[in-house]
Each structure stands twice: as C-alpha cells, then as structure tokens.
Amino acid sequence: MASKNAASGKEKLIDEEQEILQAVVLADSWNRRFRPLTTKKPRCLLPICNAPLLDWTFESLALAGVQEVFVICRSYSEQIKDAIKKSKWSRTGSGMKIVPIMTAKETYSAGDAMRDIYTRGLVTGDFILVQGDLVSNIQIDEVVRVHKERRKTNKDAILTMVVKEAGVQHRTRSRGDSPIFVVDSETSECLHYEPSFAFPKKQHANIPREVLAEHKEVEIRYDLIDCGIDVCSFEVPSLFQDNFDYLDMRRDFVHGVLTSDLLMKNIHVFVAKDGYAARVQDTRSYESISKDILSRWTFPLVPDDNYPGSERYQHTGGNQYVAKTHPATISRTAKIGRNTLIGASTRIHDNAEIIASVIGPNCTIGAGSVIENAYIFEGTTVGAECRVTRSIVGSGVEIRDGSTVERGSLIGDGVVIGPGAKLKPFERLSVPWKAPASTAGSDEDEDEDSDIEDIEASQDTVDKASLGPESNAIVWIDKPPEDDDLDSPENYNNLKYMRLGEDDVTLDVHHSDKDTESVVSEEQQLQDSSDEEDNYDDHTDAESVVSLSKDTQGGLMADKEFRSEVNQSLERAFAEGHSVDNAAVELKTLRMASNVPLIRVKEAVVAAIVEKIPVLEGAAEQRTEVNKTIARWGQLINKIGGVDPVETISLLQRHISTSARMSLFGQILAAFYQSDVVEEDDIRAWHSLSTSQGIDLPLGEERENMGKAWIVGALMIHQLDQQSDSEEEESDEDEEASD
Amino acid sequence: MQAERGQHHRSVEVLASKLRRRQIVGSRTAALETLVVLRQVVSRARFSNFEQLVEIIRGVGRRLVEAQPKEHSVGNTVRKVLHHIREEYQTAVGQTGPQAGTSTSGFSISKFVLQGQPRRHVPAQKTEVKTTLKEDDPEDPDSFSKGLKPVLMEAIQDVLDELETVYDNVSKNARDHIHPDEIILTLGRSKTVETFLKTAAHNRHYTVIVAETGPSYDGREMAKSLSSAGISTFLVPDSSIFSLMSRVNKVILGAHVILANGGMFAITGSLIAATAAKAHSTPVVVCAGQFKLTPLWNLYHEYGAVDFGNPSDVLGFNEGELVNKVDVVNPYYDYVAPEFIDAYITNDGDHPPSSIYRLLKETYDDEDNEL
C-alpha cells in the first residue's frame, strides 16, 4: 500500500488530502436472472470471457487507483471469500486491499447491504459503490475528483452516478430496466429519475412541473446505460439507515432523494464520454458484454492485454483469441469465426465450427459440431454433430452426439443431455438438487432450496423425451408466478426481455400465448419504440395536465381534515412561538402525509395568518398589529415551498372576501409588501389577472368584496406609480379607500 | 535468492500492473520507470557472485516484459543495463578479454563473427577476481556486492543519463538533415521528431506539413506545437498525404520499435506515408532514441504486434445500432518494412536500416536477447 501511495503521490498533492480511495462492491445481485447457472455459485463468480466477473470488477477498480475494497457478499459468501483469497489480488504488490464482508442472509436488497455498511462503519470518506458484475475501463478517479470538487461548494451533493451514452438501440443497454434521466445540462444535476421497464411498458414519463420551471435547460435522456457506478459521500449509508424502506439503489434511493422535500440533497450524473462501463445484469447483457470485450471496447481490459484471468491469449485476425500458455488443440479443418475466444487446453475436432463464441478451458468440441454465439464454461464436452446456438452452457456439462441446443437455453453445471437431445428455445436445465446437496452446503439459502424443490416436484408433468435417453437433467418450467409484482423489473414478462437470445422477432412468436392482451400492447410499443423519443414531449405535456386535475380532486377530498390539521399546527406555532423554519418543516411533513398539493397548504397558511390578526378599534393600533403579525409570520408563506407571490395575493384576496377582516385587505397587502413577501411587480401581475376582479363569481357578497379588494389593489398600484415615499400616507389612503 | 526477489517485489509489481493497465505509455516513460525500478532492485539486492546479480535483473526484466510485451523499451532497457553492468564488472575485476579490443576499434565482418560468439570469460574469471573482488566469499557473502554496488549504480546512472538526454542527442545534427526551404512531412506526435524539428528551426527556415494522423489526431497537437515554435506549419488530412507527396522533400517519422531487420513499428499512418514517399522517391528518415532498438527480427509476423486498440476512437459507442453489426479494427501501430526507410537518426549516429543489426550487437549482449 505504501508504494501505491508513493506512486500516486502526484495526484494526491492536487487533492491536498491524504485520503485513501475506498470502494464497496455489492457481490450479490438480489435477483435470479441467471438461474439455474447460479444455483451452486454466486453470479459474480460466473466467468465472462473465461475470467470470473468479480475479477473484471476488481480490475476496473484498480484502474481507478482504488486502494481498499470491501466486498459485501451474501449468497455463497464462502466461495467468494475463497476466490478472493486465491486470486492475484491477495498477493503483495497488487496495490489493492480486498476485504470480504459477510453479511446476514436477511440482507434482501442493496438497501439492506447499505444499512449493513453503515452499522459496521466501513467507510470513512467518499467511496465508490459498484456492483459485483461490473466491466469497466472508465477512469473512476476522474469522477471522484469531480465529485469532491462539487462537494466543496455544495455540501448537499451526496451522490454522482456514472452513466454512459449509448443510443436507444445499443446492444449493451438493458431493455428490461432502462430508466429515464432528467438532467440539468449546466450543473449535470439529476433532477428526476424515472424507472422504466420493457413490461409493463410506460407510455409516458411523469416529469414534475417544478423541474421544468426551475431550470433553464434540462435534458431528458433515454439513451444512457446506467453503469451502476456511484461515487457516494459518507452520508449515503446513513440515509439508507434513516429510510429503512429504501431497497433498490435507483428506484428507491435515487428516486426517493429526488422527490423528497425534506432531505434537500442533490444527486448528480456523470456522463462518461470516454471509456466503457456496463453491468452484467441479465443473460442478455452477458452476451453483449462478452461481445464488447471480444471486439475490444473494454481495451485495455481485453484477453490479450490487461486480462483479469491467469491465462494469456494470443490475438489474431478477426478478433480471435486463442490461449497461449496452454495452447488449445484445434483441428486443421475446424473453422474458427470472428470474435471468438478459445480457452486453455481445449480441443476442437475436425470440421467443427465456432462462430462468435466463448469456449472455456479444457472443453472438447466434437467433430462437425457448430457452436454459434454460445458461451461455454470450463470442462464441458460437446459431442459430434451437435448444434449450440445463443446459449450459456455451464461447466462440466456433457452434450452428447447429435444434440441441438436452441437459442436462449441455460444449462446448469454438470448436466448431461443427449444423445440426440432437442432442446426447445429458452429451455433451462440443471441437475437435481438432492444429489449434490451434501457437498454444496444446501442450508446456504433456505428459500432458494424451496424454489428448487418446487421445480423438482413438478418434474412429473414435464416431457423429458427431448432431453435424450442419457440425460440427468431437470427442467425449469417457465410459468408466470401467482404474485407478479408489476412495479418491479423482476416481473415475469419483463424478465423475458432480459433473456439471452430474446429479440423483437422472438417476442412476436409469443403473441400466440394466452396473455394476448398484454402482448398486443407490447407489440404496439415495440413498433413505436423507435420514435419514442420524438413523442416524449407530447406525452409529458398530456400527463402533466392529467396529474394536475387528479391532484386537485384528491386535494378537495382531504381538504377539510387537512385544513383543520394545518390550523392546529399553526395555532401551536403561534402559541408556542416556533421559528418560521420549524413551522415550515412541520407544514411540509403534514403536506406529505396527507398528500395534498402545495396550493392547499398555502391557502390554509394565508387564512390562518389573516385570522390571527386581531380586529381592533383604532386605525393606528390596527396597523401596528397587522404589521407585527405579518412581519413575524409572513415569510412562512414562502418558506413552505413553491414561491409564487401572485398566487399568494390571489389567495389572500379570496380568503378575505369571505372573512370578517375584509377591511384589512389593504393593510395586509401593504404589510406583505413591506416584509418582502410580495413585490411591486407581483401586485401588478395579480391586478392584471382577470380572475382578480371576481367577475366570474356568482353575484353576492363575495363578488362584491373581491371587486372592492381589486379596487384597493388598483389604488395601491396607483400610489406606487406616484412614487409616494412615505409608507404612512400609503396606508392612510388605503384605509380611506376601504372604508 | 527467492527471498531477495520478494523484497523488491512490490516496486516491480506496481510497475508491472501500471504497464498492464496502460497507465504508463510511451517508450521513453516506460524506459525511465524501468530504470528507476532497476536501480531500486540493484541497490537492495544481495548477491555473492555476478551470476546471481544477472539473474536478479533478468528476473525483474522477465516480469515486466511479461506484464506488457508490447512496450519493448522495457525489455531493451533491461538488456542495456545488463550490458553496461557486464562491462563495468569486467573493468572492475580488471579483465581484458577479446572484447576489450574490439569494442573500441571499428567493426568488420570478421570481428562481427567473433563478437557474435558467447563470451568465454566466465570460467577464466575465477582466478583473476581475487585481486580486487572476491566472489562467493564464504566468510563475508556480502563483500562482493558491497564492492561492486557503486560501480553498478554508476552503470545504471549512465543509462539513465543517456535516456534523459536522448532528444537533444538525436537532434544535435538536425541542421545537417534539413536544408533551407525544404518541405518536410511528418505525422503523429513523436517527442523526438518534435525536438528534432524545433532544433533544426534554429538554423534553418523550412516548412512542415503535418498529417492529422487519425484516429488519435495527434498531428493536430503536433502542428500546434510546431507553429508556436515559429515553424511554418500546415495541418492536412491524412487522405491528402499522397497528393502532397510530390511537393515534399523529406518524410520524417518517429518510431515505436526498431527491429533488427531494419524495419520499424510506428504510429498508424506511417506506412501510408512511407509507401507514398517510396512512390515519389522521397527520402524517409526516422528519428528515434537508441532505446527503441529491439533484438527481434520477425515481430511483424505476429498479428497482435500492431496493438489493436479501442474501437471507440473510430466508431462512437453511442452509435448503438452500428456497434452490433460492424467489426472495427483499430491498430495503433503500422509495420514499416526496411525497404521503405532510408536512414535512422539516433542518439548514436545515423544508420541505414541495413546496419541496424550491427548496432544491436553493439548495444546488447546476445545472451540477453531472451530475457
């Protein structure tokens, strides 16, 4: 560590502080998209391009000069710990200290893991948070620098998310979980985060009006890959601790922080221009990231250069990589296509064809077999005349002669199929759980056990003839669960979009399924997904209108109850002499709790303040009383959020028209003006509003009073025009007018 | 000895991982870093005879070369240090072998054959050493290393000095190569070429055409730097290299690696420029420090030797639809065969490609070609 410090000393000098860079790796995915490949090992130890995912992640962090890494492991934590111990990272001179942290089995989400980080007090300063499935060559230290720079001026900037520009149709961009970011173009502050899944497909995004109102220039972006790299300040874990319902890093934490009026924290986005970063979050991205690595987008993280695994590869034309230290044996008549990786000591027999695939070490590919876009792990044997297309095949699998593995299949470790097996597309196979249970520590995760038991129990109903006579496999049946949570990306239909080998054409095939209704809408969405961006503006416009009317309705219903709550709260504030800030916070909480729009709160506050002014006999005493009250409480109107003085005046006018304090309108308005609650321009703006005259109201006292108030306003403006310098005069005349 | 290597492990490993991660790029930087590490290693090394010392240095060299085989200057520096150390050792023990005579006088084919043979002094040494330095002294195993270390440090310092002055030494004869009112074509941003041209500008008035050199577009930087030094500079797109060649008097290129056959690896685009120059019989001159000489003959047979980089320089990652359908090949270097090159200007004089092999023999010891 010491030498590393010395080596990066130059950068440190700029930072002025000798702080070691820490990173936290969440080595659990909290979902099951890779099953059954992950029944016996954690996802982060699955190989991608023949090196465990976790090693790619570490290499990505090492590139950024990270010195200390905490790996939060839950499932199969022993395996992860072992893997770290055996890896090159635990040798001296690796420059990185890696500490595996075992967390409880009750850690069900990223949020729980963050709370665990907080309780253990692992991090001391700003840190990098990544997922254990990251492949990146982005200079994260640059992001950290930007983050720290920002923190110097803005203490509320707690998080910087790294995203990569990719284009809507990019292969590496997840379709199942493709959020919309609303970003301030100038400060790159993230203003709004809208999760979006492939199913149920969103027709429009809800962007809060304030976002558009308060920022000069905003970017609404749907073309970003969320790299899952966050530069966090030390208070992030504590925020998780405070908000125990935050589960997901993005949908709960980011969304929560951005929508909260109470936290007042900012989240920023770093759009990476150079470099590559992506997460292996589903089998689909497994494929695309493998392809990205082989076509060198991750350079220098490529098999023939800074490769995280131990084997060295030779790079030849058409991005073919063949193991160098333990060379593979490839028959002269075998055809090796482009973008292919062939592992150490693998044997490829006559006339076999390997196209755009990754073959692990110690594999055997039989004569005449065709392997296309497939990912085969260590020690697997494929017999003669087989065909494997767009699938992931685990380690130690035997695919016997003449078998066909159709696209999208996942074959778990140790499965034997064939000879002559014909798998259907998207078939998922594994060995029965019971057999290896004694060795693999089955008590690791009970609910995962029960999951497998279910699958095993339903084996009788499955026709296994297609698996071949010598097969030992059990079939994972693809059926929608009873309790499908559409708000989660893990819902049944959405998961389909994350599968390897699933493309638009495939989804058309599914139209014959029983869930026609949803599928029809899927189809429509696929068609207009290309011009989606163009339509965005329309959608948001339409939606903002809808949401407004909805809000008003909801507000009216809770109005009465809310009104009395506000009054009680204010009475308490008045009586106990709270500070304006405290009262404002209390009102905000109240508003959130009863979910009413801002205008209701304002209305209530204006009313309460007006009613607080005692009615007195003498004009002078009355004026003092008005000024005193407004000076003390006037600012509260603006503190509760959404400063809009014109609205304030309108509310005051409307309230006072039905109140016993009608005569005080002029004085109150003047007092507002005095205490800077409203400005001269606001009074003019209010006055010029058509509604201010109250003409559209039914005839009666209210309309009459509205009119009177309007005239008072007119007079006041008139006086302001005359530049009357004395406040005395002004209010005197006001009084005359209102009398 | 295992333990000894463990001690330096850290600085070596740090450099190795930096080389792997391409945090250190550029031949000269890599060479300098290697020297610094070697100095550390030698100053801490414990050895009781010369073979042990050589083995320690070679071990470090092997580790570094293995970490980044494409940065050849690392291996070259190690070889050079070994060569110097051997020389110093021989003077220290007062040995006069057949080499002492040949290295000072000029080269001839017959002597070359003699020099190509492995050194024969090793068995003979033992008897003579005793006078000044004692190897394998059982009473004081450190005495040998103590006695030799100052000399070793000096040898490494010599190599370091040479590296630090390499640009100036390459440029010292610049005025002899560039004539008044010539038009020079160059590409990329080689520090050596930059210094060379700027030095020539002190005495000569001439014009430089710089090709942009995609996809890195280093040429733009180069043009900026040259014109700020007061040289009349044109920046042209790569596509116009051929059409402009008829007006060009000389092509000056930088190099990444100079091979024993006289060919070289240089930034992408060099081959185009050299081929165009050949078609117009325009002389091609390569400026490079001696540390780029690499005792390899057929590196260009290896596909990966041109160092395929990131496709994003050529095709934006945000071109989502294309990324899936297009294979991008983005080599960082070109191999320029010896027949395209007229002369190498090094800090060790000017040489035609055909005599590079001889320069190599002079610079390194044959036994170090394989570290």
Side-chain angles (χ1 to χ4, degrees):
Chain A
M1 209 64 57
S3 52
K4 185 77 192 179
N5 272 336
S8 54
K10 271 181 222 155
E11 301 147 39
K12 281 283 136 64
L13 277 180
I14 305 164
D15 257 351
E16 288 170 5
E17 44 202 80
Q18 275 287 340
E19 210 174 84
I20 59 161
L21 189 52
Q22 292 179 313
V24 172
V25 177
L26 301 182
D28 202 302
S29 53
W30 292 285
N31 58 51
R32 295 171 176 189
R33 296 170 192 168
F34 275 78
R35 313 210 95 192
L37 293 167
T38 53
T39 45
K40 271 175 240 154
K41 58 179 165 193
R43 184 199 291 185
C44 60
L45 292 183
L46 288 184
I48 184 162
C49 291
N50 293 347
L53 255 173
L54 200 56
D55 282 343
W56 291 91
T57 308
F58 289 154
E59 195 57 59
S60 309
L61 292 173
L63 206 61
V66 172
Q67 286 142 290
E68 195 170 16
V69 181
F70 298 105
V71 184
I72 311 288
C73 4
R74 183 182 75 111
S75 330
Y76 313 100
S77 44
E78 286 302 326
Q79 282 188 42
I80 299 177
K81 205 172 161 185
D82 265 12
I84 293 171
K85 203 183 281 172
K86 283 184 200 139
S87 76
K88 60 178 177 179
W89 302 104
S90 44
R91 281 188 229 146
T92 48
S94 71
M96 220 158 76
K97 194 172 105 191
I98 296 181
V99 188
I101 304 286
M102 312 289 188
T103 170
K105 283 190 202 80
E106 290 73 40
T107 308
Y108 288 121
S109 68
D112 290 335
M114 292 300 281
R115 285 182 271 279
D116 201 30
I117 293 169
Y118 177 78
T119 3
R120 286 168 195 251
L122 292 178
V123 291
T124 50
D126 292 0
F127 65 100
I128 301 170
L129 177 72
V130 299
Q131 313 291 320
D133 48 15
L134 172 78
V135 176
S136 144
N137 64 359
I138 284 182
Q139 286 293 330
I140 310 173
D141 43 345
E142 169 67 16
V143 189
V144 175
R145 202 185 54 72
V146 171
H147 178 79
K148 285 194 168 157
E149 201 58 43
R150 192 181 289 131
R151 287 274 290 174
K152 278 183 190 157
T153 51
N154 179 5
K155 281 284 168 218
D156 290 329
I158 51 164
L159 185 83
T160 304
M161 297 186 278
V162 180
V163 293
K164 174 88 188 132
E165 219 168 59
V168 181
Q169 296 295 322
H170 201 284
R171 66 177 174 207
T172 315
R173 189 169 172 274
S174 172
R175 287 190 307 178
D177 190 0
S178 46
I180 298 152
F181 291 89
V182 181
V183 182
D184 186 309
S185 344
E186 211 172 297
T187 60
S188 66
E189 185 188 336
C190 186
L191 305 170
H192 182 67
Y193 176 89
E194 179 96 2
S196 132
F197 313 131
F199 184 90
K201 184 90 185 175
K202 280 200 175 159
Q203 292 292 2
H204 35 242
N206 296 317
I207 295 163
R209 218 161 36 145
E210 300 91 74
V211 165
L212 300 173
E214 286 166 20
H215 296 271
K216 214 167 24 173
E217 210 171 301
V218 292
E219 286 174 21
I220 301 169
R221 304 200 61 164
Y222 188 57
D223 62 337
L224 300 171
I225 292 179
D226 185 350
C227 314
I229 306 172
D230 296 322
V231 179
C232 305
S233 303
F234 63 93
E235 58 255 58
V236 170
S238 70
L239 277 175
F240 269 98
Q241 183 70 19
D242 295 346
N243 297 278
F244 52 87
D245 54 337
Y246 285 173
L247 302 176
D248 186 86
M249 196 63 205
R250 292 283 181 267
R251 285 188 305 283
D252 298 322
F253 179 74
V254 171
H255 195 261
V257 169
L258 291 179
T259 48
S260 165
D261 287 6
L262 294 173
L263 292 170
M264 307 298 274
K265 300 286 182 200
N266 304 135
I267 290 175
H268 288 78
V269 166
F270 181 93
V271 182
K273 291 272 178 280
D274 299 317
Y276 174 91
R279 284 181 56 199
V280 183
Q281 46 188 337
D282 45 39
T283 46
R284 206 179 113 85
S285 54
Y286 180 90
E287 181 188 41
S288 44
I289 292 174
S290 295
K291 284 187 190 307
D292 287 341
I293 293 172
L294 293 183
S295 45
R296 307 180 79 80
W297 288 94
T298 54
F299 183 85
L301 284 168
V302 287
D304 62 317
D305 212 309
N306 189 14
Y307 178 63
S310 52
E311 182 65 37
R312 297 199 73 88
Y313 289 86
Q314 174 140 23
H315 178 211
T316 53
N319 291 335
Q320 296 170 9
Y321 305 86
V322 181
K324 199 155 73 176
T325 26
H326 307 91
T329 316
I330 301 171
S331 156
R332 218 148 46 98
T333 50
K335 280 188 209 151
I336 309 295
R338 308 176 73 81
N339 297 322
T340 300
L341 180 78
I342 295 171
S345 314
T346 283
R347 303 174 67 83
I348 295 173
H349 292 286
D350 297 349
N351 297 317
E353 258 186 82
I354 318 281
I355 304 154
S357 299
V358 175
I359 315 286
N362 301 313
C363 290
T364 308
I365 308 296
S369 287
V370 181
I371 313 288
E372 201 179 341
N373 287 303
Y375 304 89
I376 297 178
F377 298 170
E378 186 175 358
T380 287
T381 307
V382 178
E385 304 294 335
C386 291
R387 194 176 175 91
V388 182
T389 320
R390 284 194 91 172
S391 297
I392 303 179
V393 181
S395 53
V397 173
E398 275 185 57
I399 299 175
R400 303 224 161 119
D401 298 0
S403 300
T404 311
V405 177
E406 282 291 346
R407 75 185 144 75
S409 299
L410 305 180
I411 301 179
D413 294 357
V415 166
V416 178
I417 57 166
K422 298 259 174 296
L423 295 197
K424 292 191 285 290
F426 306 109
E427 194 104 73
R428 292 181 295 160
L429 302 177
S430 76
V431 289
W433 183 249
K434 289 301 166 212
S438 51
T439 53
S442 61
D443 52 357
E444 186 87 349
D445 210 317
E446 277 151 25
D447 80 357
E448 282 178 36
D449 269 1
S450 67
D451 195 26
I452 293 167
E453 272 162 17
D454 281 354
I455 302 254
E456 269 177 51
S458 58
Q459 286 305 299
D460 305 336
T461 58
V462 184
D463 174 26
K464 287 192 183 175
S466 65
L467 301 183
E470 290 163 26
S471 171
N472 65 353
I474 57 167
V475 180
W476 291 55
I477 304 146
D478 207 20
K479 62 167 194 300
E482 294 99 35
D483 51 342
D484 206 10
D485 179 10
L486 288 185
D487 290 336
S488 147
E490 306 307 312
N491 74 61
Y492 174 72
N493 279 313
N494 193 40
L495 282 177
K496 276 188 183 170
Y497 285 88
M498 303 194 197
R499 293 193 299 199
L500 168 68
E502 188 84 73
D503 42 34
D504 300 355
V505 185
T506 338
L507 286 171
D508 283 339
V509 175
H510 283 270
H511 285 186
S512 54
D513 280 3
K514 54 185 185 298
D515 49 347
T516 352
E517 199 180 45
S518 66
V519 169
V520 168
S521 61
E522 264 174 41
E523 183 186 41
Q524 284 169 349
Q525 282 137 27
L526 282 174
Q527 279 165 356
D528 55 27
S529 68
S530 53
D531 48 12
E532 198 154 35
E533 278 204 305
D534 306 355
N535 293 342
Y536 248 94
D537 291 346
D538 306 350
H539 286 325
T540 48
D541 284 350
E543 182 54 23
S544 61
V545 173
V546 171
S547 62
L548 272 182
S549 60
K550 206 164 57 192
D551 282 353
T552 328
Q553 244 178 14
L556 284 175
M557 289 200 300
D559 202 28
K560 221 170 193 164
E561 201 181 323
F562 174 69
R563 198 65 177 260
S564 74
E565 288 267 358
V566 170
N567 282 338
Q568 279 172 24
S569 154
L570 281 172
E571 264 165 38
R572 217 171 26 250
F574 293 149
E576 293 167 20
H578 291 174
S579 78
V580 170
D581 283 326
N582 285 349
V585 168
E586 199 168 324
L587 288 174
K588 271 183 198 171
T589 326
L590 204 56
R591 168 161 92 83
M592 304 260 271
S594 34
N595 191 27
V596 293
L598 196 60
I599 191 161
R600 298 277 151 240
V601 190
K602 222 170 189 178
E603 213 173 75
V605 172
V606 170
I609 293 177
V610 169
E611 296 308 320
K612 184 177 187 307
I613 302 168
V615 188
L616 294 175
E617 290 301 313
E621 289 113 62
Q622 179 70 65
R623 193 161 52 239
T624 337
E625 208 46 61
V626 167
N627 283 345
K628 210 174 91 191
T629 313
I630 303 296
R632 174 76 173 84
W633 294 106
Q635 280 304 328
L636 182 61
I637 297 168
N638 284 348
K639 278 275 162 55
I640 52 175
V643 179
D644 187 356
V646 181
E647 196 181 63
T648 309
I649 306 175
S650 303
L651 288 173
L652 172 68
Q653 183 192 14
R654 287 205 71 157
H655 173 73
I656 219 154
S657 306
T658 55
S659 153
R661 287 163 176 78
M662 178 59 216
S663 55
L664 299 182
F665 178 73
Q667 286 183 2
I668 294 173
L669 188 58
F672 274 171
Y673 176 68
Q674 291 297 323
S675 54
D676 291 331
V677 178
V678 299
E679 301 288 332
E680 187 183 334
D681 288 346
D682 303 325
I683 301 174
R684 288 177 199 282
W686 159 73
H687 193 258
S688 57
L689 283 177
S690 58
T691 50
S692 304
Q693 293 184 41
I695 306 175
D696 47 351
L697 287 170
L699 283 170
E701 198 190 1
E702 192 183 351
R703 178 173 169 165
E704 209 173 303
N705 285 340
M706 286 287 276
K708 276 187 194 165
W710 188 70
I711 295 163
V712 173
L715 270 169
M716 192 162 165
I717 289 167
H718 181 64
Q719 280 177 355
L720 287 167
D721 279 343
Q722 288 181 344
Q723 297 291 317
S724 60
D725 45 5
S726 134
E727 177 226 321
E728 289 288 313
E729 264 176 51
E730 198 178 296
S731 39
D732 277 345
E733 298 216 15
D734 277 351
E735 254 181 294
E736 280 165 34
S738 54
D739 290 338
Chain B
M1 218 184 70
Q2 207 54 40
E4 278 151 28
R5 222 185 284 172
Q7 278 178 7
H8 337 295
H9 225 69
R10 187 152 280 172
S11 59
V12 176
E13 285 303 315
V14 168
L15 178 61
S17 45
K18 281 195 168 183
L19 285 168
R20 264 172 72 101
R21 291 175 195 144
R22 308 248 170 172
Q23 286 166 331
I24 292 176
V25 285
S27 322
R28 186 164 165 271
T29 334
L32 280 171
E33 293 283 339
T34 311
L35 270 179
V36 172
V37 167
L38 277 181
R39 192 160 61 179
Q40 271 180 32
V41 169
V42 172
S43 72
R44 284 192 219 149
R46 299 179 65 197
F47 50 91
S48 51
N49 60 40
F50 191 66
E51 280 75 42
Q52 283 182 6
L53 171 69
V54 169
E55 197 36 57
I56 290 172
I57 297 176
R58 279 185 166 195
V60 173
R62 264 199 302 274
R63 177 73 192 90
L64 294 177
V65 169
E66 186 200 337
Q68 186 49 276
K70 280 164 196 158
E71 200 63 86
H72 296 277
S73 65
V74 173
N76 296 342
T77 313
V78 176
R79 287 182 193 105
K80 178 108 181 166
V81 166
L82 282 170
H83 177 77
H84 271 245
I85 284 178
R86 279 203 191 90
E87 264 182 6
E88 295 290 348
Y89 168 69
Q90 270 144 46
T91 12
V93 299
Q95 203 215 345
T96 49
Q99 283 75 22
T102 44
S103 55
T104 45
S105 64
F107 278 87
S108 74
I109 288 291
S110 63
K111 280 173 190 159
F112 171 69
V113 172
L114 198 68
Q115 226 203 358
Q117 289 168 346
R119 287 160 192 271
R120 276 164 297 179
H121 58 260
V122 182
Q125 261 171 27
K126 299 270 150 74
T127 50
E128 291 169 72
V129 169
K130 288 189 180 96
T131 51
T132 45
L133 285 165
K134 196 174 175 192
E135 287 189 63
D136 297 323
D137 190 342
E139 284 145 40
D140 184 6
D142 288 340
S143 74
F144 177 72
S145 66
K146 266 186 214 149
L148 201 59
K149 259 183 193 167
V151 189
L152 296 177
M153 287 296 135
E154 217 168 282
I156 293 176
Q157 191 58 43
D158 283 350
V159 183
L160 199 63
D161 289 345
E162 190 190 314
L163 257 182
E164 270 163 2
T165 55
V166 69
Y167 298 146
D168 295 335
N169 285 335
V170 172
S171 320
K172 66 178 183 256
N173 293 326
R175 52 178 298 187
D176 302 336
H177 292 278
I178 295 175
H179 307 296
D181 298 321
E182 270 193 335
I183 297 176
I184 308 287
L185 182 121
T186 186
L187 48 110
R189 188 177 192 189
S190 155
K191 206 79 175 89
T192 322
V193 174
E194 197 181 322
T195 322
F196 186 83
L197 292 174
K198 282 181 180 171
T199 314
H202 296 320
N203 310 83
R204 301 271 187 256
H205 178 80
Y206 63 97
T207 303
V208 181
I209 298 175
V210 185
E212 279 185 313
T213 331
S216 65
Y217 297 104
D218 284 343
R220 294 176 185 168
E221 294 296 311
M222 179 75 150
K224 223 181 264 172
S225 158
L226 289 179
S227 73
S228 66
I231 303 171
S232 102
T233 310
F234 293 90
L235 180 67
V236 299
D238 295 341
S239 52
S240 54
I241 289 179
F242 188 86
S243 46
L244 283 169
M245 196 53 85
S246 56
R247 303 283 303 271
V248 172
N249 299 92
K250 201 168 279 158
V251 177
I252 298 186
L253 300 175
H256 171 66
V257 174
I258 301 172
L259 298 182
N261 67 347
M264 64 146 186
F265 280 94
I267 190 160
T268 312
S270 300
L271 183 59
I272 295 176
T275 315
K278 181 110 182 150
H280 290 90
S281 293
T282 309
V284 176
V285 175
V286 177
C287 292
Q290 213 188 15
F291 63 96
K292 289 179 178 171
L293 290 173
T294 305
L296 285 170
W297 296 81
N298 51 4
L299 184 61
Y300 55 93
H301 285 224
E302 203 178 294
Y303 177 80
V306 291
D307 201 1
F308 289 91
N310 197 330
S312 67
D313 299 336
V314 183
L315 177 72
F317 191 68
N318 46 4
E319 305 273 355
E321 267 167 283
L322 280 179
V323 167
N324 212 3
K325 295 170 191 150
V326 182
D327 280 335
V328 182
V329 177
N330 176 22
Y332 193 74
Y333 300 117
D334 266 349
Y335 170 66
V336 184
E339 51 267 34
F340 290 111
I341 296 162
D342 293 279
Y344 284 100
I345 303 173
T346 69
N347 47 341
D348 194 28
D350 308 341
H351 304 272
S354 52
S355 66
I356 291 294
Y357 75 95
R358 208 194 65 189
L359 209 57
L360 273 167
K361 290 263 179 207
E362 235 181 285
T363 324
Y364 311 121
D365 293 324
D366 281 358
E367 60 209 88
D368 297 329
N369 285 357
E370 286 281 331
L371 278 172

